[in-house]
Amino acid sequence: MFDVLVYLYEHYWRPDAFPEADLLTRKLSAVGFEAEEISEALTWLEGLTQAASTEPIQPQSSSVRIYSSVELEHMGPEALGFLQFLESAGVLSASQREMILDRMLAISGAPVSLEDLKVIVLMVFWSMGEEPDALILDELFAEEGERVLH
């Protein structure tokens, strides 16, 4: 499913630029994606569209997000650390965080890998028509082994 999401991110400048679902399914199938992963990705994107259209959360500046045990189990420590990094860097709003959590919980299997979480974060920004700054894009795309420590 994540390969389909990355493909869509790379080939469509925003979600509303997709063709209709049947045509998109045929195009993705012609590229070589399996029917099951196409279906999963399109269902997941439908949920993302619904989450993006809901009223954004406006917490007070002094509020603290407490994660449920289900969220923590599904996220795992690496993903939780990365999500907290994005929040503390001021890159992620509360409503974006909640969209990410919603879409993360929509994925079967736990914990979600850090690489999968990065795709989810990228897709949330993309669905909102926002592009993270260059340093955050580097965090989202760079593999751990590719980093050069100074």
Side-chain angles (χ1 to χ4, degrees):
M1 177 185 87
F2 287 100
D3 291 335
V4 174
L5 294 176
V6 170
Y7 178 87
L8 293 172
Y9 175 82
E10 291 174 345
H11 289 85
Y12 294 94
W13 60 287
R14 54 179 219 230
D16 59 355
F18 294 156
E20 290 188 21
D22 291 339
L23 179 58
L24 182 58
T25 299
R26 285 194 307 269
K27 283 185 171 195
L28 292 170
S29 184
V31 171
F33 293 110
E34 298 291 325
E36 185 177 329
E37 66 182 332
I38 294 169
S39 176
E40 280 180 34
L42 295 182
T43 300
W44 189 89
L45 280 172
E46 205 172 288
L48 180 60
T49 301
Q50 290 173 353
S53 66
T54 60
E55 187 68 31
I57 297 169
Q58 301 297 332
Q60 296 183 1
S61 60
S62 61
S63 67
V64 175
R65 174 62 157 90
I66 306 295
Y67 296 98
S68 72
S69 58
V70 171
E71 291 170 333
L72 290 171
E73 184 179 308
H74 208 78
M75 218 178 324
E78 275 190 318
L80 175 61
F82 187 71
L83 199 57
Q84 289 177 330
F85 158 73
L86 292 175
E87 282 188 273
S88 67
V91 173
L92 205 59
S93 70
S95 59
Q96 290 169 326
R97 178 197 60 224
E98 294 305 312
M99 285 176 62
I100 290 166
L101 288 170
D102 175 71
R103 296 294 75 215
M104 178 199 61
L105 291 170
I107 297 168
S108 61
V112 171
S113 74
L114 181 57
E115 293 308 310
D116 290 348
L117 178 66
K118 288 179 178 183
V119 172
I120 294 169
V121 170
L122 187 64
M123 297 306 289
V124 165
F125 279 115
W126 180 67
S127 73
M128 300 176 85
E130 297 178 20
E131 185 171 318
D133 67 28
L135 292 175
I136 297 304
L137 277 175
D138 182 50
E139 284 293 326
L140 293 173
F141 283 114
E143 295 288 329
E144 194 62 37
E146 295 176 359
R147 297 197 184 279
V148 177
L149 300 177
H150 298 282

